[in-house]
Structures are given as structure tokens and as C-alpha cells.
Amino acid sequence: MEPTGQPKELGDFLKARRAQLDPRDVGLPEPSSPRRVAGLRREEVAQLAAISVDYLTRLEQGRVQASSSVLATLARALRLDDDQQSYVYELAGKPFRRPRRRAGEKLRPAMKRLLDQLAETPAMVLGRRLDVVAWNDSAAALFTDFARYPANRRNYVYLLFADPQVRALHVDWAEAARTAVAALHLEAARDPDAPELAELVGELAVHHPEFRTWWAAHHVTSQGYGVKHYRHPVVGDLTLDCDMWESPDGSGQRLMVLTADPGSAAHEGLRILASWTAEPAGAPERLPDRGR
């Protein structure tokens, strides 16, 4: 299929824009040696946008059509203002909607009750973009103290990459992280213009090369259950069943629950973790910083 819009003009604009920026403008380390040409290298823009260099090359040459999701990440990577974004979308033949930040997600009362009642079972509510909306004490004891992160960093994928405790918890971290990136890609397809998502993807792409590689692969998953293998520093190895229960109200919120067979070593480990905590941790009404 031939590209629609004005692909040559779009490619020319992308090349001109990256020539106007230097690494410091976009949060990359300052180069150790002088550059022969001004601006960002093509590899750096591809890194920031979490796309392949080959794909960006073909975009700049006008040989492929850019999707709305790619335009959104390129707009963030190249620090485009609203007028420049509108121009880019017009050249690509795509409708431009000024991105609006969504209000923080509210925890449904039924979800709150479930969290309160699952005393010895790690459980958390995941919302849009896999944000951790709320959690119970057992989840905090297993994973990390979610409350020490501000709301805009309380994201399951972000914590898998950026929190050393969460990273070390997973016996096969690479597999867990790849699966989470694939799930985030599916979220991106549902809401490609969300500025919060573009910021999350951009930050992870800059700081974590594994994320760049897996995001560029465009794998997606909606897996709702599976077996998780953890190695906790206090209770040791835990093999847990993970189930995701989607809220029926259309909010996209999902309850993630981790369980073990009664009488198993993992079940005893969860009981020990639960005994650490006495105060409710996942209810926004009682601890405003631990849910949205």
C-alpha cells in the first residue's frame, strides 16, 4: 500500500527537527566528543521513540506510513509543541487530537472490599497503562512499598525495570519484563494518543535498553493468568498462581491476585509475609497516598 498524506514532506520535517535538537534537550547524556553534524543522530531519535532505526530511516525517506501511535512517540521524542504536532499529523494524513491528561483513576468500592478481604493473598488493582491503582499489605510485603513512589511512577512496568527490589524478586526477570512490555503495547494500541503513556515509554526507552528492544518488537499479549516464580529475600522461593480479573464496569481496571496451594511452602511463605503487616495498605480512604 502506498503511503498516504505527504510522506516526503513528513520525512523532511522529521530530519529538520532532529537537526535542531541536541542530546541535552531530550535528556540523553552529553556526547563525549564533538559531533560532525548538528542535532540528534537517527539512532538517538529511534531510541527515544522506541522504534527501530530502519523504520525511522524509511519514515524520513518517505517510504512508509506512520501510525498514530508512532507519531505520538515521535512527537514526544522530538519535543514537538501542539502546532508542530498538528502539522506532523496533517502531513501523515492522520487526524490530530490535542492530547488530554486523564484524571487519576478512582478505586471502585467493590475492588476496595476485595482488597480488604484478601488478607493473606497479595493483590493489587491495575488500571490504564498498568498503573498500580491500589494494593493490599501482602502485595506491598511481596513486591515493594508502593507508597514510596509518587502516583506517576506507580506503574507495574516502570517498577519492573526501575525498582531493584521488584527486579530481583523475579526468578526469570527477562520473561516477566517481556510479558509486561507486551501487555503495555496492547494498552498503547487502545489509547495511542495518551501523553502519560508516551512519557512512560520514552523514559523507559532512554534508560533501559532491554525495554527499547522489546518495545520495538511490537509483541502484544492479553494473558490473564499464569504461574509466577519469585525469590523473596525473607521467605525464599515462591511459586504462585497469578490471575487477572477484569472489572465489569468498562473502566479497564483489573484485579491481580497471587495464590498458592494450601499446605505448600509457598502458602506458608505468604502467611509469614501477611503476618508482617497490620495496617490496611491499599485503601485510598484510609491511606490517601496508597491509591488514586
Side-chain angles (χ1 to χ4, degrees):
M1 180 183 294
E2 291 295 321
T4 60
Q6 304 174 60
K8 182 180 183 304
E9 288 77 5
L10 174 62
D12 290 343
F13 177 82
L14 295 176
K15 286 185 287 187
R17 179 57 183 169
R18 69 178 172 88
Q20 297 169 358
L21 301 169
D22 65 42
R24 291 169 298 181
D25 295 328
V26 295
L28 291 174
E30 190 170 353
S32 57
S33 58
R35 300 193 172 207
R36 289 178 294 178
V37 294
L40 295 175
R41 295 191 177 103
R42 189 175 283 154
E43 294 80 3
E44 290 168 333
V45 175
Q47 171 184 332
L48 290 166
I51 59 177
S52 70
V53 177
D54 177 68
Y55 184 77
L56 179 59
T57 300
R58 288 182 287 147
L59 267 180
E60 291 188 347
Q61 293 173 348
R63 295 193 288 124
V64 293
Q65 180 178 348
S67 66
S68 294
S69 60
V70 167
L71 292 175
T73 56
L74 281 172
R76 190 214 60 81
L78 295 171
R79 301 299 195 266
L80 303 184
D81 61 27
D82 282 351
D83 290 338
Q84 290 169 324
Q85 289 185 59
S86 178
Y87 179 64
V88 162
Y89 276 75
E90 182 178 345
L91 291 179
K94 303 287 184 182
F96 174 64
R97 298 184 298 275
R98 294 184 185 274
R100 295 181 179 179
R101 294 186 177 276
R102 293 184 176 182
E105 297 186 60
K106 294 182 178 180
L107 183 64
R108 293 182 60 242
M111 287 289 200
K112 174 187 175 300
R113 287 194 297 272
L114 279 173
L115 287 177
D116 288 344
Q117 293 167 14
L118 294 171
E120 294 187 2
T121 303
M124 66 180 78
V125 176
L126 300 178
R128 298 185 299 264
R129 303 173 301 278
L130 304 185
D131 291 333
V132 180
V133 178
W135 61 96
N136 63 9
D137 292 292
S138 292
L142 175 62
F143 287 96
T144 190
D145 180 9
F146 298 107
R148 64 191 175 94
Y149 281 97
N152 65 344
R153 288 291 179 270
R154 210 174 290 148
N155 177 276
Y156 187 73
V157 183
Y158 176 84
L159 294 173
L160 263 175
F161 283 89
D163 187 311
Q165 180 177 328
V166 175
R167 193 171 179 132
L169 176 69
H170 292 79
V171 173
D172 188 349
W173 174 84
E175 176 61 25
R178 274 196 301 266
T179 300
V181 172
L184 187 66
H185 233 309
L186 188 60
E187 294 295 322
R190 292 168 175 162
D191 193 5
D193 299 321
E196 299 91 345
L197 179 61
E199 290 172 7
L200 173 65
V201 170
E203 181 171 355
L204 289 172
V206 167
H207 297 292
H208 302 283
E210 305 101 329
F211 180 88
R212 292 198 299 272
T213 299
W214 296 331
W215 186 263
H218 289 271
H219 294 149
V220 297
T221 184
S222 60
Q223 184 177 1
Y225 64 93
V227 177
K228 303 289 187 181
H229 301 283
Y230 301 115
R231 182 159 295 143
H232 195 274
V234 174
V235 297
D237 288 354
L238 298 169
T239 298
L240 304 176
D241 290 313
C242 177
D243 289 275
M244 304 281 286
W245 307 96
E246 188 161 353
S247 173
D249 66 351
S251 65
Q253 291 184 358
R254 282 158 290 178
L255 179 67
M256 175 178 170
V257 180
L258 295 158
T259 59
D261 287 332
S264 66
H267 187 267
E268 176 63 14
L270 292 183
R271 189 194 65 78
I272 294 171
L273 287 178
S275 70
W276 287 3
T277 57
E279 294 296 325
E285 289 81 354
R286 287 174 283 186
L287 287 175
D289 191 41
R290 295 198 171 188
R292 297 190 190 184

